[in-house]
Amino acid sequence: MSEKEGCAYDFEARHMIEALRSGVPSRAVGACFSEARPKIMREISGMLDQVCDHQKSCGKIISGKYGEGKTHLLNTIFNLASANNMVVSYVSLSKETPMDKLYLFYQKVIQNTYLPRRQQPGFLHEMENISANSPTANEMLLYSAKQLETDKLYFLLPSYLNTEDSDEKFILQADMEGDFMANAPLKKIYRRIFAQPARFNVNFTKTRHCMDYFKFMSHLFLTMGYHGWVILVDETELMGRLGKKARLNAYKNMANFLFPENCPEATCTFFALAASYPEDVIEGRHEFENLESAFPDQPEIQDPIRAVLNLLNDAQQLQPLTTNEINEVLLKIQDFHGQAYGWTPNLSVQTLARSTQSGGYLLRTKIRAAIEFLDQLYQYGKAGRTTINELGLETFEEDIPEIEDM
C-alpha cells in the first residue's frame, strides 16, 4: 500500500474541494469562504441585525456577472442568518418557481425553508407541539383575525390544531404548505369540529390573497421564538423569459418583499440578479413603456412596479475580488486540498496565482484552475514547471536549451 493510499482523508474537506471543482455553490462552501467582500457583508449583516433586533423588514437586489459569486454570497447569507437564529428559505426562479405566480412561489419557498442550523428543510412538524389553547395558538388566532386580508387562516388554524382525523390534518397541513384547499371543504371541516359555521367576510383566492400566507408564516416564526425570516431568491434574471404581462406581474410581486411597508413582518429578502438584466430586459424590452401602456392612469399599480424597475436598474453590482482577496481564497483552497487528500502542499501564493491565469477572468474558473494545478502536483509531483519534492516544497525546472541553440 502506498503512502497516499494509507493516509487518512478529511472527507468534509474533500466535499469542499469537489464542490469547488464542480462549480456548484453550497452552504458548506459559503460557510468556509465568507471573508471576501467585507463591505457588502457588513451591509448585509446590518440588515439582518435590524430584523433581529427591531423586526424591521427589508429587501435587497444583488447584481453580478456570471460566475462572480452571486450564489456563493447567498449561501454565505444563509449561514449568517442561521447563526442568528433566523429561519431561512432558499429558492431559484424557474418554470416551477415563477415570480409572476405568487401562489406557486410560496409553495416552493415553504418546501425549501430551513430552521436555524438544520441541514434539511421543514418546520411544520414543530406545529405538532402547539396545543389548541396554548399562548402560541391564541396569538396566531388573534393575528389571523386582525392582520390578514381574508378569514381563511383564522378558521384553518384552529381546525388544524383541534382535528383528530388524520386525513383532515394532512389536508390542512398541505394547505399551509401551499397546496391550497377550496373554501367550501374548509368550512365543512370547521363545522364538523366546532358545530358552528365558518363565516368568511372575504373569501380566499390564491391568485389574489397569497400574501396572507407569507404574513402568517413570518408572524408564526416570531411567535415560535425565532428572530426573523430570510428569503433568498437566486436566478432572478429568469423573469426575463416571461411574457410582457407576466414580467410586470413579477415586478409587482417583488415589491411585496423589497419595501418595508409591503413586506411580511421581520422578513429580509435578497434577490440575486445577472448584471446584464437592465440592458437586456428593462431597456431592451422597453419595460417602462410597457408599464405605461398596460396600466394607464393606475398609479396604485404603476408606482410599486416602477420602483422595482428602478431598483433593478440601480442594483449594487458585485465587484471583482481584489488580488489580496483572491490570494486568501487560493491559500485556503490549498489548505483544504491538503486535508482532503492527506498531503502537505507548500506552495507560494504567487505560484498558485500563476496557475489560475489559464482560467480566464471568472472567479469560478480561476478556482477550478487552481484545483487542477494542485491535483497534478498531488498525483504526479509536477505541474508545468513546478515540482514538489518529498517534503512538499516547490522547485522549478530549468529550461533546457535545444541542440540547435547550443
Side-chain angles (χ1 to χ4, degrees), residues 47-48 51 56-60 257-260 263 267-269:
M47 293 171 66
L48 298 183
V51 175
K56 184 178 179 181
S57 298
C58 55
K60 184 176 181 62
F257 301 94
L258 288 170
F259 305 113
C263 289
T267 300
C268 193
T269 307

Side-chain angles (χ1 to χ4, degrees), residues 25-42:
S26 70
R27 289 170 59 186
V29 172
C32 293
F33 291 82
S34 59
E35 295 85 0
R37 299 192 172 95
K39 182 178 179 181
I40 191 171
M41 285 309 304
R42 284 195 298 270

Side-chain angles (χ1 to χ4, degrees), residues 4 7-9 334-347 373-379 381 388 392:
K4 289 180 181 177
C7 57
Y9 300 137
Q334 177 179 239
D335 183 49
F336 275 115
H337 200 283
Q339 295 177 47
Y341 298 104
W343 70 304
T344 309
N346 192 9
L347 301 172
F373 179 79
L374 291 167
D375 288 342
Q376 292 180 26
L377 290 177
Y378 169 67
Q379 292 174 353
I388 292 291

Side-chain angles (χ1 to χ4, degrees), residues 98-219:
M99 198 67 223
D100 63 307
K101 296 181 175 62
L102 203 57
Y103 58 93
L104 293 177
F105 179 71
Y106 170 82
Q107 187 178 78
K108 293 296 183 181
V109 165
I110 295 302
Q111 289 175 3
N112 293 279
T113 293
Y114 298 76
L115 295 180
R117 299 179 180 86
R118 298 286 181 87
Q119 294 300 314
Q120 299 298 324
F123 65 92
L124 286 176
H125 60 276
E126 289 209 350
M127 292 193 68
E128 296 177 4
N129 300 323
I130 302 174
S131 61
N133 296 313
S134 65
T136 298
N138 291 331
E139 168 62 25
M140 292 307 302
L141 196 62
L142 181 64
Y143 180 84
S144 302
K146 294 184 175 295
Q147 301 298 326
L148 302 181
E149 187 176 354
T150 71
D151 307 291
K152 184 178 180 182
L153 285 161
Y154 176 78
F155 293 108
L156 188 143
L157 178 63
S159 300
Y160 173 80
L161 296 176
N162 285 278
T163 186
E164 296 180 356
D165 185 294
S166 59
D167 291 336
E168 286 182 353
K169 200 170 190 71
F170 176 81
I171 293 171
L172 295 166
Q173 179 172 318
D175 181 279
M176 286 188 281
E177 293 175 322
D179 187 7
F180 301 111
M181 64 188 302
N183 297 319
L186 173 58
K187 292 178 180 180
K188 183 177 180 181
I189 292 173
Y190 187 87
R191 178 185 286 273
R192 187 195 66 76
I193 296 172
F194 298 102
Q196 59 184 12
R199 294 188 174 89
F200 284 35
N201 293 317
V202 179
N203 282 320
F204 175 85
T205 304
K206 67 179 182 180
T207 55
R208 295 179 57 193
H209 303 120
C210 191
M211 281 306 298
D212 271 8
Y213 278 71
F214 280 101
K215 293 177 180 179
F216 178 87
M217 288 300 171
S218 66
H219 193 75

Side-chain angles (χ1 to χ4, degrees), residues 300-316:
E300 71 282 359
I301 299 178
Q302 284 191 15
D303 291 347
I305 295 176
R306 185 178 292 107
V308 169
L309 289 173
N310 287 328
L311 284 181
L312 291 168
N313 270 331
D314 301 332
Q316 182 177 358

